[in-house]
Amino acid sequence: MDLKEIGEFGLIDRIKAGTRQQDGIVCGTGEPDRAIRGIGDDCAVIPQRSGKDTLVSTDMLVEGTHFLMGDITPYQLGWKSAAVNLSDIAAMGGKPTAAFLAFALTDSVDTLWTDAFMDGFRCCCDSCGTPLLGGDTTSSKCGLSICVTVLGECGSGNARLRSVAKPGDLVCVTGNLGDSAGGLEVILRGLERTGAAKVLVDRHYHPVPRVTEGLSLASCSGVHAMMDISDGIASDLLHILDESRVSARIDVAKVPQSNELQELWPEKALDLALCGGEDYELLFTVEPAFEPLVSIPHFVIGVIENGAPGTAVWEGLKKNICGFRHF
Ligand code: ADP
Ligand code: MG
């Protein structure tokens, strides 16, 4: 079967179905309620005898798919490679504890390039107190690729899963959406990078993993489901709705957008905010009584309902929407 027919998430479902699921299997802790969670969330969650849970996530960046070598600087690429991975630990409400870096390098790079890449990588890891503990290095004849694995930890059972949104919860995001996609438009169209255009390109190349925000959210018991927005909220919200077997009603007028996005792309700012990827803000659901207790900046954009599982009503939207899909 053509991969386009089933898409990225169809393929992941297929892998999951063919894999002996460890979910629900107790991890040698002797406590029956502490089970591994595998494929399907931002990180795997592995309970430890210490009483903490270990979080693990892997993400790749591939030349031509995720970045253009002629445009991104090595520092930016290093930063972004770390950031997109640390973001998955943030998405679980965890504290990142270690990073591992594997890359396949082409002839086009030298030590000046790798030093600058490592500066960016380390700077992002340092901003989250995360040491680089290992990796792998090899060559590639057909494009540069980077694969990062991050470990993190959280209190036992405290990871914020995608599967626990409840009807009545408010749907919230931690910041403006669409800037990264707006920046990508600037890059792809070869526009001058001044003013608003520069701000958006910076947002595309320098995403900030919301680790502090994730930790703060996970300390609030009323915060239920959580994930990071990597593919665009239109697509990512559906993961929470699917996994939690609930629906949502979103008021698109409440989806936060920066002044820069609205200034540069007035016609399609909303499209970019809903469908554009790589903002790496957190998407979470919270019980209404607890929302005033959420101490980090956030925007309420909708509510979880008891409708057809995995569906969302986008109030105020005139046409169909979809997020970024591989294949
Ligand atoms: P994210 O965007 O948060 O990095 P993905 O959409 O890439 O998450 O992945 C969704 C889930 O599928 C994650 O739990 C991830 O670990 C799992 N996954 C993705 N690709 C594979 C694969 N090739 N083999 C096993 N699990 C995978
Ligand atoms: Mg994620």
Side-chain angles (χ1 to χ4, degrees), residues 100-178:
F100 295 80
L101 165 65
F103 47 24
L105 301 174
T106 53
D107 287 347
S108 66
V109 305
D110 56 13
T111 52
L112 258 186
W113 191 95
T114 54
D115 285 352
F117 176 94
M118 291 312 306
D119 279 349
F121 188 88
R122 286 198 199 93
C123 191
C124 185
C125 284
D126 287 351
S127 72
C128 301
T130 314
L132 172 63
L133 295 188
D136 194 24
T137 302
T138 184
S139 63
S140 166
K141 301 240 175 301
C142 51
L144 192 148
S145 61
I146 300 145
C147 180
V148 177
T149 299
V150 284
L151 304 186
E153 67 176 23
C154 64
S156 172
N158 205 39
R160 291 309 197 263
L161 307 175
R162 296 175 179 182
S163 54
V164 290
K166 302 205 170 24
D169 280 0
L170 301 174
V171 179
C172 306
V173 293
T174 52
N176 291 328
L177 301 183

Side-chain angles (χ1 to χ4, degrees), residues 32 44 77 86 122-123 126 130 155 172 186 190 207 224 261 283 290 319 325:
L77 186 57
L86 292 164
R122 286 198 199 93
C123 191
D126 287 351
T130 314
C172 306
V186 172
H224 294 155
L261 186 71
L283 168 65
F290 284 82
K319 56 185 168 92
R325 293 267 195 259

Side-chain angles (χ1 to χ4, degrees), residues 8-9 11-13 15-16 19 38-44 56-59 84-85 87-88 91 162 227-231 236 239 280 326:
E8 176 190 356
F9 300 114
L11 177 59
I12 293 173
D13 285 346
I15 294 171
K16 185 172 176 177
T19 306
I39 300 172
D41 221 301
D42 293 282
C43 294
V56 190
S57 176
T58 293
D59 254 310
V84 304
N85 279 274
S87 175
D88 276 325
R162 296 175 179 182
M227 70 179 296
D228 65 336
I229 304 175
S230 54
D231 291 343
D236 285 334
H239 293 308
Y280 298 102
H326 289 284

Side-chain angles (χ1 to χ4, degrees), residues 167-197:
D169 280 0
L170 301 174
V171 179
C172 306
V173 293
T174 52
N176 291 328
L177 301 183
D179 281 2
S180 178
L184 182 59
E185 290 277 333
V186 172
I187 295 164
L188 294 178
R189 294 181 189 210
L191 303 181
E192 196 185 336
R193 296 174 198 184
T194 52

Side-chain angles (χ1 to χ4, degrees), residues 222-297:
V223 171
H224 294 155
M226 190 149 80
M227 70 179 296
D228 65 336
I229 304 175
S230 54
D231 291 343
I233 192 171
S235 156
D236 285 334
L237 175 66
L238 299 184
H239 293 308
I240 286 184
L241 304 181
D242 277 336
E243 294 284 329
S244 302
R245 310 307 298 152
V246 292
S247 64
R249 180 171 297 274
I250 305 295
D251 179 352
V252 297
K254 293 193 174 148
V255 173
Q257 298 162 35
S258 70
N259 293 338
E260 287 83 1
L261 186 71
Q262 289 179 329
E263 178 193 326
L264 199 66
W265 304 115
E267 303 286 300
K268 57 178 176 177
L270 181 60
D271 254 24
L272 293 169
L274 297 178
C275 302
E278 303 199 307
D279 285 309
Y280 298 102
E281 295 294 346
L282 300 179
L283 168 65
F284 64 95
T285 78
V286 58
E287 227 171 290
F290 284 82
E291 190 268 328
L293 305 179
V294 172
S295 57
I296 55 149

